[in-house]
Amino acid sequence: MTENRPGYYGRFGGRYVPETLMAALDELDAAYRRYATDPEFTAELDDLFHHYSGRPTPLYFAERFSRELGKGRIYLKREDLNHTGAHKINNALGQILLAKRMGKKRIIAETGAGQHGVAAATVAAKFGLSCTVYMGEVDIARQSLNVFRMRLLGAEVVPVRSGSRTLKDATNEAMRDWVATVDDSYYLIGSVVGPHPYPMMVRNFQAVIGRETRAQLMQAADKLPDYVVACVGGGSNSMGIFHEFVAEPAVQLVGVEAAGEGLETEHHAATLSKGEPGVLHGALSYLLSDSDGQVLEAYSISAGLDYPGVGPEHSFLKDSGRVNYQAVTDGEALAAFDYLTKTEGIIPALESSHAVAMGMKLAPTLTEGQIMVINLSGRGDKDIHTVAQSMGVVL
Amino acid sequence: MNQVAARYESLRRDRRKALIPYLMGGDPGLRETADLLTVLSEAGADLIEVGVPFSDPVADGPIIQAAGQRALNNGCTVAKLLATLKEVLPGLGTPVILMAYYNTLYHRGIERFMAEARESGVAGLIIPDLPPEEAGDLRHYASEYEIGLNFLVAPTSPAERIRQAAEASTGFLYAVSLKGVTGVRNQLPAGIPDFIARIKTQTSKPVGVGFGISTLEQARSIGQLADGVIVGSAIVQAIAEDSSFQKVTAAVRNLKEGLAG
């Protein structure tokens, strides 16, 4: 595909990790390549997708939302209806099957919004592996519901107090754990980030989103979408839906980053819009850093987008021009959250609200018969407290 | 020949082992870093490793993480650290190796970093998150600016990777004693002698062992097997605990005694 040498997307990607992990990455890469095409593995994963997670998720025509915004037809890919409430379960199921086959006894994960932590804790519970989730203290405070869910599922949630106390630092801590426990622990990375083979593997597990979208839209409208819109933090839901359409030049792909309080301020998480190439968490990719290469704290109202890095394939797709990366602010995301909730009765996650906000900006430009798909990557139940707080409501 | 390789060669001729204490550049401040280089050198350091503070030090444990954070909070930058080294290194007599995370070099530009390091009198580089296969440009410029490269091998490294790291190393080969991050350990893994023996079957280049080492006994037992001993967290801790530097001086002398036999 877009890799020109294993683990690279143009100049991005690679493996920038402590030597202790290199053998483990080779082992993982070999295991993934072996099982990715193994009929028994894929059948087991398909079965879990169907009976455990509830796939295929609907491709829903948001009729009132479309009509009020313009002439086009807007569809929502309902990843929010997955078990555990977001697309994160797709990847967690794929990787846990791999971990089991590799004979690992313990799962390590990092989480920002808690959706990946919940997905990891869920699959660990189902398959009887122990699970340690690293989570920044700041995120623990704003996602207390997910923290409790993880603990109910039997996971140990370890608060991370270093640095910005968010996802970046949780990832550092997860990597430190893995370096020390590499023999029997499996590091279940939640996004298309990290050293090779993670970006490729996570994308491939998430690519089910795009495959279903194409098939469902062919059935519903007998055509490809004109636009596919998805939010980008690390970038797994967007890679998952984009991957199917990257080779279809007629499909416009729009990635939406978090502009936080505005791209002109220092409080945003718009890595592709405002960052420059650098190395963090094992890969060369766009990165928010200062003049000395120190990684900056990202900011977004959405914990899942609050990350100063991004998957290396997104960096490649930005430089190649194949994907158009935009950014929307906290305020725009909150307005979209409210609008979708009131027009369709669907409460989106704050992460997904960024994609919805971009969809609302593009909708008036659609002509009759044009189709836009917005990836509704997660549901908003976890964000109710944050939204209430933004409205000055005390629950 | 770069200064790192030259120092190891002269130690080998004298049948001595290298003691390599680590300090965090700019911790607590750059003035102290300048003083400490002399303190460590006079206490018996054969080479000195200087950490370049980084926001996301994934290979480091809590002690070195905290030191890096102190340095950053106190305004240490790459340029200021290199300027301090430039003042001190010409008169020091002990080669200094920088330990920097790869983004620090990448962001600055590999060639620019090498040129500036050379200009400051830096002898070598350790980059804990850069395996040899990602180091093409770096090797080119390190050779051009005569900076000794010291790649890492771990207990998990198969023979082929050890060979690859040894071949790419122009100073010494840095053997990570354990699976884990930097930090003081009461007990080192029982497999160290086998690990070092395994390395020695792959290369004749000098081997320095680091991570977890803090006591005279540990230094002695490693010194009997390898060519050098690197001590980080214990030194950083001693620096933090006593601003008159008597504690760190005593620590270096004590370790030196362990290596003396």
Side-chain angles (χ1 to χ4, degrees):
Chain A
M1 288 264 72
T2 46
E3 297 97 319
N4 52 354
R5 59 181 161 124
Y8 272 86
Y9 308 87
R11 63 178 163 146
F12 300 106
R15 281 180 177 175
Y16 298 85
V17 294
E19 172 65 23
T20 310
L21 297 179
M22 290 300 286
L25 291 172
D26 280 337
E27 182 198 357
L28 176 61
D29 189 39
Y32 175 67
R33 276 188 285 121
R34 174 175 165 201
Y35 290 114
T37 53
D38 173 41
E40 205 177 300
F41 181 92
T42 48
E44 188 177 355
L45 183 57
D46 284 347
D47 187 69
L48 285 165
F49 276 171
H50 186 59
H51 292 103
Y52 189 67
S53 190
R55 304 206 71 92
T57 58
L59 184 71
Y60 166 72
F61 173 43
E63 193 181 354
R64 187 175 159 211
F65 184 79
S66 301
R67 198 174 58 235
E68 290 192 5
L69 290 168
K71 295 197 176 73
R73 292 169 72 86
I74 300 172
Y75 287 82
L76 304 175
K77 180 58 175 165
R78 299 291 309 275
E79 290 301 297
D80 60 317
L81 293 178
N82 272 301
H83 179 43
T84 71
H87 71 291
K88 293 289 186 188
I89 193 78
N90 303 330
N91 167 54
L93 284 168
Q95 287 200 56
I96 197 89
L97 293 186
L98 204 53
K100 281 288 275 191
R101 281 166 171 75
M102 292 171 74
K104 302 294 179 182
K105 307 278 178 252
R106 173 174 175 264
I107 296 297
I108 306 163
E110 81 295 325
T111 197
Q115 289 304 105
H116 173 59
V118 167
T122 297
V123 298
K126 172 164 169 53
F127 287 92
L129 278 73
S130 73
C131 181
T132 303
V133 181
Y134 290 92
M135 189 168 185
E137 262 190 345
V138 170
D139 292 334
I140 285 182
R142 58 181 166 179
Q143 298 290 344
S144 57
L145 191 65
N146 271 342
V147 174
F148 189 60
R149 287 168 81 193
M150 286 184 263
R151 290 185 172 141
L152 286 175
L153 289 158
E156 179 197 12
V157 181
V158 181
V160 175
R161 299 188 172 89
S162 56
S164 58
R165 297 175 290 141
T166 60
L167 178 55
K168 160 178 96 77
D169 310 282
T171 307
N172 291 340
E173 223 37 65
M175 287 181 79
R176 291 181 185 120
D177 181 322
W178 196 32
V179 169
T181 59
V182 62
D183 292 336
D184 64 353
S185 294
Y186 181 97
Y187 182 17
L188 207 170
I189 293 186
S191 192
V192 287
V193 300
H196 177 68
Y198 285 103
M200 171 188 76
M201 179 171 76
V202 176
R203 175 200 71 199
N204 290 348
F205 286 137
Q206 292 292 2
V208 64
I209 305 173
R211 280 198 305 274
E212 284 178 10
T213 299
R214 180 199 285 258
Q216 289 165 324
L217 200 58
M218 289 312 283
Q219 190 146 44
D222 200 25
K223 73 182 283 264
L224 288 170
D226 297 282
Y227 288 89
V228 175
V229 183
C231 66
V232 182
S236 70
N237 89 79
S238 44
M239 272 324 305
I241 196 163
F242 289 168
H243 187 56
E244 178 73 18
F245 302 107
V246 164
E248 300 283 0
V251 181
Q252 300 202 51
L253 304 175
V254 183
V256 188
E257 297 192 294
E261 292 174 1
L263 290 186
E264 70 289 356
T265 73
E266 288 176 353
H267 302 127
H268 61 76
T271 307
L272 291 163
S273 307
K274 299 286 282 186
E276 50 191 326
V279 173
L280 179 69
H281 299 147
L284 174 56
S285 194
Y286 275 83
L287 183 63
L288 295 174
S289 61
D290 72 8
S291 59
D292 230 18
Q294 308 294 349
V295 181
L296 293 170
E297 293 178 17
Y299 165 79
S300 167
I301 193 169
S302 141
L305 301 182
D306 193 351
Y307 181 63
V310 67
E313 192 167 6
H314 281 294
S315 293
F316 172 77
L317 292 169
K318 172 195 159 73
D319 279 10
S320 74
R322 177 63 189 92
V323 177
N324 173 13
Y325 291 94
Q326 298 288 331
V328 309
T329 63
D330 285 358
E332 291 169 320
L334 284 165
F337 174 99
D338 189 60
Y339 190 75
L340 187 67
T341 299
K342 295 212 164 66
T343 56
E344 293 290 347
I346 295 171
I347 301 179
L350 280 175
E351 290 78 15
S352 321
S353 299
H354 286 72
V356 175
M358 193 65 222
M360 288 168 65
K361 286 189 190 187
L362 289 171
T365 70
L366 295 183
T367 55
E368 198 90 43
Q370 279 199 308
I371 288 174
M372 172 158 62
V373 175
I374 299 173
N375 198 21
L376 205 69
S377 55
R379 57 182 177 243
D381 308 36
K382 69 185 175 62
D383 295 313
I384 297 301
H385 277 94
T386 307
V387 173
Q389 202 175 19
S390 78
M391 296 164 68
V393 175
V394 180
L395 295 180
Chain B
M1 182 186 290
N2 66 69
Q3 296 173 60
V4 181
R7 175 54 57 99
Y8 265 105
E9 200 167 282
S10 90
L11 288 167
R12 195 172 266 184
R13 273 199 306 273
D14 297 346
R15 298 176 163 277
R16 287 174 52 220
K17 302 301 168 85
L19 175 62
I20 311 175
Y22 168 103
L23 65 86
M24 175 58 79
D27 169 44
L30 286 161
R31 200 61 266 149
E32 287 83 353
T33 295
D35 294 344
L36 278 162
L37 288 167
T38 308
V39 167
L40 294 177
S41 181
E42 286 175 355
D46 298 296
L47 294 132
I48 299 172
E49 191 182 331
V50 174
V52 181
F54 181 54
S55 54
D56 294 83
V58 292
D60 284 305
I63 293 173
I64 293 181
Q65 283 176 46
Q69 200 54 56
R70 284 194 296 270
L72 291 175
N73 293 346
N74 292 338
C76 184
T77 63
V78 176
K80 286 184 193 168
L81 179 57
L82 288 171
T84 299
L85 295 177
K86 196 174 174 181
E87 282 171 35
V88 181
L89 298 197
L92 191 66
T94 305
V96 163
I97 302 171
L98 289 182
M99 204 238 51
Y101 284 87
Y102 189 56
N103 195 50
T104 303
L105 282 82
Y106 184 85
H107 191 271
R108 202 164 189 82
I110 305 293
E111 182 175 14
R112 178 183 169 197
F113 187 95
M114 290 295 180
E116 291 177 346
R118 168 77 182 172
E119 176 76 16
S120 297
V122 168
L125 263 178
I126 295 166
I127 306 167
D129 58 347
L130 187 72
E133 52 265 64
E134 306 286 4
D137 280 4
L138 188 90
R139 290 174 67 179
H140 171 78
Y141 290 116
S143 153
E144 187 175 332
Y145 291 96
E146 288 183 67
I147 303 277
L149 289 182
N150 315 286
F151 285 93
L152 293 87
V153 290
T156 52
S157 306
E160 189 192 321
R161 293 197 59 81
I162 294 173
R163 263 201 309 281
Q164 197 183 2
E167 194 226 308
S169 296
T170 53
F172 72 100
L173 193 57
Y174 190 134
V176 177
S177 72
L178 46 80
K179 293 170 201 153
V181 293
T182 58
V184 173
R185 308 287 201 286
N186 291 331
Q187 212 156 10
L188 294 176
I192 289 185
D194 286 348
F195 174 41
I196 297 171
R198 206 153 60 78
I199 298 169
K200 291 284 187 183
T201 64
Q202 302 299 327
T203 182
S204 58
K205 285 188 179 160
V207 176
V209 180
F211 283 46
I213 303 165
S214 63
T215 68
L216 180 150
E217 291 73 25
Q218 288 170 337
R220 175 174 291 152
S221 66
I222 300 287
Q224 283 161 2
L225 306 161
D227 306 285
V229 171
I230 301 138
V231 181
S233 294
I235 297 291
V236 169
Q237 187 77 23
I239 291 168
E241 282 171 3
D242 172 18
S243 59
S244 74
F245 305 146
Q246 285 175 11
K247 235 180 181 168
V248 71
T249 302
V252 172
R253 289 198 176 131
N254 187 42
L255 291 159
K256 188 83 179 168
E257 203 183 309
L259 285 183

